[in-house]
């Protein structure tokens, strides 16, 4: 009986140490990313979306580095969301996290990918938006609930990026 109790205590201690180390790592990530500016304000009356779809907000990462999750401003929280495309920008209405609005002029590209920040799906199963936020280049991933919505969103985002005043026309697969 004593060895079982000792095993339980050791196991619980190791689990507690693991959680402490995870917390310290997340706190250090927040500190390193303190220079990421406040997010754009969500328009009070955005209007009627061109297209919208339900799915999962995967995360935002440093542009080009699909493993460097952005932790500040709730951008690293994976949650269910609705992605809405408007003529003026893109809105992620996230469950349990603040909404994320990306103005059209800051979008630099859209692509289909198979994974980012711990979420891996089939080939081209993830919609990834590239955008500028202050001095940072970011990638934001979204997984549609229905596969057919992905292509509709992709086409609408390509059109939005190509028609945005300050946008680059480098969207593609």
């Amino acid at each position: 009986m004593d060895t079982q109790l000792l095993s339980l205590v050791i196991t619980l201690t190791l689990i507690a140490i693991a959680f402490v180390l995870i917390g310290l790592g997340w706190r250090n990530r927040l500190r390193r990313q303190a220079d990421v500016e406040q997010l754009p304000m969500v328009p009070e009356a955005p209007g009627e979306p061109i297209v919208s779809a339900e799915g999962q907000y995967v995360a935002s990462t440093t542009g080009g580095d699909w493993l460097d999750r952005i932790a500040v401003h709730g951008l690293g929280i994976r949650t269910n969301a609705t992605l809405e495309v408007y003529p003026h920008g893109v809105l992620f209405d996230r469950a349990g996290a603040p909404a994320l609005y990306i103005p059209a002029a800051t979008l630099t590209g859209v692509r289909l990918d198979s994974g980012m920040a711990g979420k891996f799906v089939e080939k081209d199963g993830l919609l990834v938006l590239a955008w500028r936020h202050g001095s940072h280049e970011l990638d934001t991933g979204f997984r549609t609930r229905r596969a057919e919505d992905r292509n509709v969103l992709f086409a609408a985002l390509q059109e939005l990026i190509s028609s945005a005043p300050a946008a680059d026309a480098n969207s593609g697969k």
Side-chain angles (χ1 to χ4, degrees), residues 82-101:
T82 301
L83 173 56
E84 299 173 334
V85 179
Y86 294 91
H88 51 79
V90 176
L91 179 64
F92 291 90
D93 187 9
R94 304 183 301 162
L100 170 61
Y101 176 71

Side-chain angles (χ1 to χ4, degrees), residues 74-140:
L75 292 176
I77 299 170
R78 183 173 298 149
T79 181
N80 289 329
T82 301
L83 173 56
E84 299 173 334
V85 179
Y86 294 91
H88 51 79
V90 176
L91 179 64
F92 291 90
D93 187 9
R94 304 183 301 162
L100 170 61
Y101 176 71
I102 304 172
T106 65
L107 290 168
T108 59
V110 61
R111 69 181 185 277
L112 297 174
D113 215 327
S114 60
M116 73 183 305
K119 176 77 171 180
F120 297 95
V121 297
E122 75 279 359
K123 182 179 187 297
D124 296 339
L126 196 64
L127 189 65
V128 179
L129 285 77
W131 55 294
R132 287 183 313 278
H133 180 56
S135 62
H136 299 274
E137 296 284 333
L138 302 176
D139 288 340
T140 297

